[in-house]
Every structure is written in C-alpha cells, then in structure tokens.
Amino acid sequence: MSASNELRELHEEREKRLRARNDLLTYASTIEIPGAPIREGDDDAEEFVPIKEAFGAHHLLWLSCLQKVENGEIHRLMGLMPPGAGKSVYSSVVFPTHFMGRWPRSSVIVASYGADLPRKFGRRARSIVKQPVYQRIFGASLDAESSAADEWGLSNGSDWMAAGILTGIT
C-alpha cells in the first residue's frame, strides 16, 4: 500500500513539473521565489528568504498577462501597480527564468535606470536556476563559465544580461 502511495506521489510530482514547463503560474508555485537577502543590507547577497505568501488576485492577473506575453498573444505590456505589488519579482525574476528554461538559446535583458537594480534581480534569478527543482523542470542548469550576477547563462544556451542606462547592449 505504501509503495502505491509513493508511486502516486511521484506521478503527481512529475505531472506538476511537466505543467510548470509551459505554465508560468504552476512554475511560480513550484519554485522558491527569492525575497529579501538573508542578511539585511547585503547588496551582494547570494541567499534569500523565500517568499511564502499566497498569490493575491493581482499576482494571478499579472502572471496570466506575462504568460500571454510568453505565448506571443500580447506584444506590449505595461504593469501599473503600486510599489510592493510584486511587479519586479514576477516581471524581472520569475518570468525571465521561466522564459529562458522554456525557450532554449533565448536571450533576456533586464534593464533599469542604473545597473545596480538589474544586478540584484540577476542574483535572485540566478538563485532560482540553481534550485534542483528548476533543473528537474527544464533540464537546464547555470552555466559554470558565465555566472556573474549581471551576465550569466544556462546549459541550454539561454543568456541573461543586466543593463543600466549607460550599459552597452549591442
């Protein structure tokens, strides 16, 4: 009886991983989303406190819109929400890592007014792709040869770049 329960749990976990490959909301509920650095004030943090709160209605709406961008149904999208609503976490950390895993050999540029903010997002996004669950979902891992906070890649050929206003992007 316990073997059949274990087999059922393994099957359910596999099905969730398969859904997470193509569905941003399932993906976001499967990974540990990095929040604040474990050590307060650590701008070069590599370890983060996971965000444990349930998704609010605005998070579900935003993730649905980002999914439509990823699927090619929306070509331009603006997110106008108050500070602290989760725009940055979902748009600049969760969404790019899903996109990079789902679409091998893709390139993502996260840009802002200065280079510090996208570099912080890069550290958080990089912490997601280091998670074993990410590797089980996409079969990709952090490329050891390009793993700086502002420019890193995945074993599937996808690349991440953080850019500020004066950064050369070409």
Side-chain angles (χ1 to χ4, degrees):
M1 187 66 130
S2 73
S4 65
N5 285 339
E6 187 176 325
L7 188 59
R8 183 177 35 81
E9 288 173 8
L10 287 171
H11 179 72
E12 288 171 1
E13 195 266 338
R14 180 178 181 276
E15 289 298 314
K16 186 173 183 179
R17 279 196 335 252
L18 291 173
R19 281 193 319 272
R21 283 184 192 165
N22 296 312
D23 182 66
L24 186 58
L25 177 58
T26 304
Y27 170 73
S29 66
T30 303
I31 62 169
E32 280 193 359
I33 299 173
I38 287 180
R39 288 176 301 283
E40 193 172 320
D42 186 359
D43 288 339
D44 296 327
E46 295 292 331
E47 295 178 345
F48 304 91
V49 177
I51 296 173
K52 300 279 188 192
E53 292 86 28
F55 296 116
H58 64 293
H59 297 136
L60 299 175
L61 175 63
W62 189 240
L63 287 167
S64 173
C65 291
L66 290 171
Q67 179 72 60
K68 289 178 181 176
V69 168
E70 187 172 334
N71 292 344
E73 300 167 39
I74 294 178
H75 299 286
R76 291 182 176 89
L77 178 66
M78 292 178 65
L80 306 173
M81 292 179 260
K87 297 180 303 293
S88 296
V89 169
Y90 295 112
S91 304
S92 302
V93 178
V94 175
F95 172 71
T97 58
H98 187 264
F99 185 87
M100 293 169 68
R102 183 177 177 197
W103 304 106
R105 294 173 300 286
S106 60
S107 295
V108 170
I109 298 174
V110 175
S112 183
Y113 55 86
D116 290 342
L117 188 58
R119 188 176 306 115
K120 287 179 186 180
F121 294 149
R123 282 191 182 88
R124 289 181 181 183
R126 194 176 56 190
S127 77
I128 291 174
V129 302
K130 288 180 179 179
Q131 295 175 19
V133 69
Y134 186 88
Q135 296 166 20
R136 288 193 309 269
I137 292 169
F138 295 112
S141 58
L142 187 65
D143 184 356
E145 293 182 18
S146 65
S147 59
D150 57 351
E151 198 167 335
W152 50 268
L154 295 177
S155 59
N156 71 359
S158 293
D159 296 305
W160 165 286
M161 182 179 179
I165 196 165
L166 298 177
T167 306
I169 294 178
T170 55

PDB file of all heavy atoms in Angstrom, residues 74-91:
ATOM      1  N   ILE A  74       0.352  38.596 -26.432  1.00  0.00           N
ATOM      2  CA  ILE A  74       0.478  40.026 -26.123  1.00  0.00           C
ATOM      3  C   ILE A  74       1.879  40.452 -26.550  1.00  0.00           C
ATOM      4  O   ILE A  74       2.867  39.797 -26.208  1.00  0.00           O
ATOM      5  CB  ILE A  74       0.280  40.293 -24.607  1.00  0.00           C
ATOM      6  CG1 ILE A  74      -1.142  39.982 -24.181  1.00  0.00           C
ATOM      7  CG2 ILE A  74       0.628  41.745 -24.271  1.00  0.00           C
ATOM      8  CD1 ILE A  74      -1.404  40.177 -22.684  1.00  0.00           C
ATOM      9  N   HIS A  75       1.960  41.564 -27.289  1.00  0.00           N
ATOM     10  CA  HIS A  75       3.255  42.037 -27.794  1.00  0.00           C
ATOM     11  C   HIS A  75       3.799  43.218 -27.005  1.00  0.00           C
ATOM     12  O   HIS A  75       5.002  43.481 -27.036  1.00  0.00           O
ATOM     13  CB  HIS A  75       3.134  42.394 -29.269  1.00  0.00           C
ATOM     14  CG  HIS A  75       2.731  41.218 -30.104  1.00  0.00           C
ATOM     15  ND1 HIS A  75       3.584  40.186 -30.414  1.00  0.00           N
ATOM     16  CD2 HIS A  75       1.540  40.880 -30.642  1.00  0.00           C
ATOM     17  CE1 HIS A  75       2.945  39.272 -31.126  1.00  0.00           C
ATOM     18  NE2 HIS A  75       1.702  39.675 -31.277  1.00  0.00           N
ATOM     19  N   ARG A  76       2.943  43.969 -26.336  1.00  0.00           N
ATOM     20  CA  ARG A  76       3.364  45.085 -25.496  1.00  0.00           C
ATOM     21  C   ARG A  76       2.544  45.036 -24.217  1.00  0.00           C
ATOM     22  O   ARG A  76       1.330  44.891 -24.258  1.00  0.00           O
ATOM     23  CB  ARG A  76       3.127  46.415 -26.206  1.00  0.00           C
ATOM     24  CG  ARG A  76       4.040  46.627 -27.376  1.00  0.00           C
ATOM     25  CD  ARG A  76       3.781  48.006 -27.996  1.00  0.00           C
ATOM     26  NE  ARG A  76       4.715  48.271 -29.052  1.00  0.00           N
ATOM     27  CZ  ARG A  76       4.513  47.938 -30.323  1.00  0.00           C
ATOM     28  NH1 ARG A  76       3.395  47.332 -30.674  1.00  0.00           N
ATOM     29  NH2 ARG A  76       5.417  48.210 -31.230  1.00  0.00           N
ATOM     30  N   LEU A  77       3.232  45.213 -23.083  1.00  0.00           N
ATOM     31  CA  LEU A  77       2.540  45.105 -21.801  1.00  0.00           C
ATOM     32  C   LEU A  77       3.144  46.104 -20.825  1.00  0.00           C
ATOM     33  O   LEU A  77       4.362  46.214 -20.716  1.00  0.00           O
ATOM     34  CB  LEU A  77       2.684  43.683 -21.240  1.00  0.00           C
ATOM     35  CG  LEU A  77       2.073  43.394 -19.887  1.00  0.00           C
ATOM     36  CD1 LEU A  77       0.550  43.495 -19.946  1.00  0.00           C
ATOM     37  CD2 LEU A  77       2.483  42.005 -19.406  1.00  0.00           C
ATOM     38  N   MET A  78       2.291  46.837 -20.142  1.00  0.00           N
ATOM     39  CA  MET A  78       2.725  47.741 -19.079  1.00  0.00           C
ATOM     40  C   MET A  78       2.054  47.316 -17.792  1.00  0.00           C
ATOM     41  O   MET A  78       0.863  47.012 -17.785  1.00  0.00           O
ATOM     42  CB  MET A  78       2.346  49.194 -19.400  1.00  0.00           C
ATOM     43  CG  MET A  78       3.108  49.770 -20.564  1.00  0.00           C
ATOM     44  SD  MET A  78       2.606  51.455 -20.961  1.00  0.00           S
ATOM     45  CE  MET A  78       3.116  52.329 -19.511  1.00  0.00           C
ATOM     46  N   GLY A  79       2.815  47.288 -16.715  1.00  0.00           N
ATOM     47  CA  GLY A  79       2.263  46.955 -15.410  1.00  0.00           C
ATOM     48  C   GLY A  79       2.261  48.175 -14.521  1.00  0.00           C
ATOM     49  O   GLY A  79       3.316  48.625 -14.095  1.00  0.00           O
ATOM     50  N   LEU A  80       1.102  48.719 -14.275  1.00  0.00           N
ATOM     51  CA  LEU A  80       0.981  49.919 -13.448  1.00  0.00           C
ATOM     52  C   LEU A  80       0.309  49.548 -12.130  1.00  0.00           C
ATOM     53  O   LEU A  80      -0.909  49.499 -12.026  1.00  0.00           O
ATOM     54  CB  LEU A  80       0.168  50.984 -14.197  1.00  0.00           C
ATOM     55  CG  LEU A  80       0.700  51.331 -15.593  1.00  0.00           C
ATOM     56  CD1 LEU A  80      -0.242  52.257 -16.317  1.00  0.00           C
ATOM     57  CD2 LEU A  80       2.095  51.920 -15.503  1.00  0.00           C
ATOM     58  N   MET A  81       1.141  49.238 -11.158  1.00  0.00           N
ATOM     59  CA  MET A  81       0.670  48.837  -9.829  1.00  0.00           C
ATOM     60  C   MET A  81       1.481  49.606  -8.796  1.00  0.00           C
ATOM     61  O   MET A  81       2.588  50.052  -9.087  1.00  0.00           O
ATOM     62  CB  MET A  81       0.860  47.336  -9.627  1.00  0.00           C
ATOM     63  CG  MET A  81      -0.026  46.472 -10.505  1.00  0.00           C
ATOM     64  SD  MET A  81       0.286  44.718 -10.226  1.00  0.00           S
ATOM     65  CE  MET A  81       1.357  44.355 -11.625  1.00  0.00           C
ATOM     66  N   PRO A  82       0.958  49.735  -7.593  1.00  0.00           N
ATOM     67  CA  PRO A  82       1.696  50.472  -6.562  1.00  0.00           C
ATOM     68  C   PRO A  82       2.979  49.745  -6.144  1.00  0.00           C
ATOM     69  O   PRO A  82       3.122  48.541  -6.389  1.00  0.00           O
ATOM     70  CB  PRO A  82       0.704  50.555  -5.396  1.00  0.00           C
ATOM     71  CG  PRO A  82      -0.321  49.525  -5.664  1.00  0.00           C
ATOM     72  CD  PRO A  82      -0.336  49.263  -7.128  1.00  0.00           C
ATOM     73  N   PRO A  83       3.902  50.479  -5.520  1.00  0.00           N
ATOM     74  CA  PRO A  83       5.123  49.841  -5.010  1.00  0.00           C
ATOM     75  C   PRO A  83       4.778  48.687  -4.066  1.00  0.00           C
ATOM     76  O   PRO A  83       3.822  48.765  -3.296  1.00  0.00           O
ATOM     77  CB  PRO A  83       5.832  50.965  -4.252  1.00  0.00           C
ATOM     78  CG  PRO A  83       5.290  52.219  -4.844  1.00  0.00           C
ATOM     79  CD  PRO A  83       3.874  51.912  -5.248  1.00  0.00           C
ATOM     80  N   GLY A  84       5.544  47.633  -4.147  1.00  0.00           N
ATOM     81  CA  GLY A  84       5.344  46.486  -3.281  1.00  0.00           C
ATOM     82  C   GLY A  84       4.297  45.502  -3.769  1.00  0.00           C
ATOM     83  O   GLY A  84       3.978  44.542  -3.077  1.00  0.00           O
ATOM     84  N   ALA A  85       3.776  45.712  -4.987  1.00  0.00           N
ATOM     85  CA  ALA A  85       2.721  44.838  -5.512  1.00  0.00           C
ATOM     86  C   ALA A  85       3.276  43.562  -6.144  1.00  0.00           C
ATOM     87  O   ALA A  85       2.513  42.674  -6.485  1.00  0.00           O
ATOM     88  CB  ALA A  85       1.866  45.593  -6.527  1.00  0.00           C
ATOM     89  N   GLY A  86       4.581  43.479  -6.315  1.00  0.00           N
ATOM     90  CA  GLY A  86       5.180  42.269  -6.875  1.00  0.00           C
ATOM     91  C   GLY A  86       5.574  42.373  -8.336  1.00  0.00           C
ATOM     92  O   GLY A  86       5.967  41.382  -8.946  1.00  0.00           O
ATOM     93  N   LYS A  87       5.482  43.561  -8.915  1.00  0.00           N
ATOM     94  CA  LYS A  87       5.829  43.726 -10.334  1.00  0.00           C
ATOM     95  C   LYS A  87       7.254  43.263 -10.623  1.00  0.00           C
ATOM     96  O   LYS A  87       7.489  42.504 -11.551  1.00  0.00           O
ATOM     97  CB  LYS A  87       5.703  45.193 -10.770  1.00  0.00           C
ATOM     98  CG  LYS A  87       4.342  45.803 -10.690  1.00  0.00           C
ATOM     99  CD  LYS A  87       4.345  47.249 -11.133  1.00  0.00           C
ATOM    100  CE  LYS A  87       5.288  48.151 -10.376  1.00  0.00           C
ATOM    101  NZ  LYS A  87       4.982  48.398  -8.972  1.00  0.00           N
ATOM    102  N   SER A  88       8.188  43.748  -9.831  1.00  0.00           N
ATOM    103  CA  SER A  88       9.601  43.438 -10.079  1.00  0.00           C
ATOM    104  C   SER A  88       9.900  41.959  -9.893  1.00  0.00           C
ATOM    105  O   SER A  88      10.589  41.360 -10.711  1.00  0.00           O
ATOM    106  CB  SER A  88      10.492  44.261  -9.148  1.00  0.00           C
ATOM    107  OG  SER A  88      10.360  45.627  -9.429  1.00  0.00           O
ATOM    108  N   VAL A  89       9.390  41.371  -8.832  1.00  0.00           N
ATOM    109  CA  VAL A  89       9.671  39.964  -8.563  1.00  0.00           C
ATOM    110  C   VAL A  89       9.174  39.084  -9.702  1.00  0.00           C
ATOM    111  O   VAL A  89       9.890  38.228 -10.209  1.00  0.00           O
ATOM    112  CB  VAL A  89       9.037  39.525  -7.224  1.00  0.00           C
ATOM    113  CG1 VAL A  89       9.093  38.019  -7.064  1.00  0.00           C
ATOM    114  CG2 VAL A  89       9.725  40.201  -6.068  1.00  0.00           C
ATOM    115  N   TYR A  90       7.940  39.300 -10.131  1.00  0.00           N
ATOM    116  CA  TYR A  90       7.370  38.442 -11.165  1.00  0.00           C
ATOM    117  C   TYR A  90       7.866  38.810 -12.561  1.00  0.00           C
ATOM    118  O   TYR A  90       8.087  37.926 -13.385  1.00  0.00           O
ATOM    119  CB  TYR A  90       5.839  38.462 -11.087  1.00  0.00           C
ATOM    120  CG  TYR A  90       5.357  37.856  -9.803  1.00  0.00           C
ATOM    121  CD1 TYR A  90       4.735  38.625  -8.827  1.00  0.00           C
ATOM    122  CD2 TYR A  90       5.576  36.509  -9.521  1.00  0.00           C
ATOM    123  CE1 TYR A  90       4.327  38.061  -7.631  1.00  0.00           C
ATOM    124  CE2 TYR A  90       5.180  35.944  -8.333  1.00  0.00           C
ATOM    125  CZ  TYR A  90       4.552  36.728  -7.389  1.00  0.00           C
ATOM    126  OH  TYR A  90       4.160  36.165  -6.197  1.00  0.00           O
ATOM    127  N   SER A  91       8.072  40.097 -12.834  1.00  0.00           N
ATOM    128  CA  SER A  91       8.481  40.521 -14.177  1.00  0.00           C
ATOM    129  C   SER A  91       9.973  40.365 -14.429  1.00  0.00           C
ATOM    130  O   SER A  91      10.373  40.070 -15.555  1.00  0.00           O
ATOM    131  CB  SER A  91       8.115  41.998 -14.405  1.00  0.00           C
ATOM    132  OG  SER A  91       6.757  42.224 -14.195  1.00  0.00           O
TER     133      SER A  91
END
